[in-house]
Amino acid sequence: PKTALDLQVRGSVGTFSAGRPGEASVQVRYIQTHVGLTEGGGHADRLLDHLTPVREVFNLQELTFEQLMQRDINDARVSTELIPYLLSQGRGGLVKLFPPIIVVVLPLDSHDRPSNYYPTVQTLTEELQGHPFQVIRSGQVGKEVFEFRQLLQGDEPQAHDYAELQLNTNRSALAIVDGQHRAMALLALH
């Protein structure tokens, strides 16, 4: 079957463990990439097209007051501080640096709401362009949510710049969980 993966993100891979003290931890894989404001419709444009603030992904009635305050976006700050900073051409020139924007890939149910779980996740080894890759895939081919590829050396996945995350934008949401103001400024200019 033909793949349903329609968004590709390349970058550096890393891992960390998350969990409460005394409980089992969960290994979290991440990919660090970059985007720029360019014309031409490349992968950065497609990635920006799919970034979504948390307030647009979750049902606001299901969030606590603290969660709502943490996720509330001050649109005035975005338009009066961050966008002018990005557009300024002072001594710093055209290069602008922001701290990272953290995005979580959430599986969606048939009503485009966050699902409680990813479809079955499996780890495989596949050869791509003559090199072995570890492939972590959620869902059956043709109905995937994501596929994460990492180059193998021997049996060990390598932590370097050859990592790739592919997403099915019809079955996942890219929810901005940190850096929403920075992301909203980028999205406004995009």
Side-chain angles (χ1 to χ4, degrees):
K2 184 179 178 191
T3 183
L5 302 169
D6 60 348
L7 178 63
Q8 184 179 64
V9 179
R10 291 184 176 151
S12 300
V13 66
T15 61
F16 64 89
S17 294
R20 294 187 175 117
E23 293 182 10
S25 63
V26 174
Q27 184 184 40
V28 177
R29 274 180 216 260
Y30 65 88
I31 191 162
Q32 181 177 327
T33 193
H34 67 281
V35 296
L37 297 172
T38 60
E39 295 180 24
H43 97 279
D45 283 348
R46 291 205 19 84
L47 180 58
L48 288 171
D49 286 342
H50 292 286
L51 291 182
T52 307
V54 165
R55 68 183 180 186
E56 294 178 18
V57 176
F58 287 94
N59 182 352
L60 297 181
Q61 284 73 30
E62 296 174 1
L63 301 177
T64 66
F65 179 74
E66 289 82 16
Q67 290 170 325
L68 283 172
M69 295 310 294
Q70 173 66 19
R71 304 295 169 229
D72 195 26
I73 296 173
N74 181 339
D75 293 319
R77 178 175 171 235
V78 170
S79 62
T80 61
E81 295 176 23
L82 297 174
I83 291 174
Y85 165 72
L86 288 173
L87 294 175
S88 69
Q89 295 185 19
R91 290 189 345 214
L94 293 177
V95 175
K96 305 296 178 184
L97 300 175
F98 270 173
I101 297 168
I102 299 173
V103 177
V104 175
V105 177
L106 298 173
L108 298 177
D109 63 19
S110 59
H111 304 290
D112 288 338
R113 304 301 317 157
S115 179
N116 290 333
Y117 301 99
Y118 289 95
T120 302
V121 176
Q122 57 183 340
T123 302
L124 316 155
T125 300
E126 292 183 0
E127 190 166 310
L128 302 165
Q129 299 174 343
H131 302 285
F133 280 81
Q134 179 185 66
V135 177
I136 301 171
R137 181 182 301 130
S138 173
Q140 300 171 359
V141 174
K143 296 181 180 181
E144 307 98 329
V145 171
F146 73 84
E147 188 171 283
F148 190 88
R149 295 179 182 180
Q150 209 171 341
L151 186 65
L152 289 171
Q153 188 170 35
D155 291 335
E156 292 297 315
Q158 298 300 296
H160 53 62
D161 294 342
Y162 297 112
E164 183 176 274
L165 174 65
Q166 293 187 51
L167 302 169
N168 177 348
T169 58
N170 294 312
R171 296 203 56 209
S172 65
L174 296 170
I176 304 162
V177 295
D178 188 47
Q180 291 191 113
H181 288 90
R182 296 183 300 272
M184 291 296 93
L186 284 173
L187 292 176
L189 292 173
H190 170 67

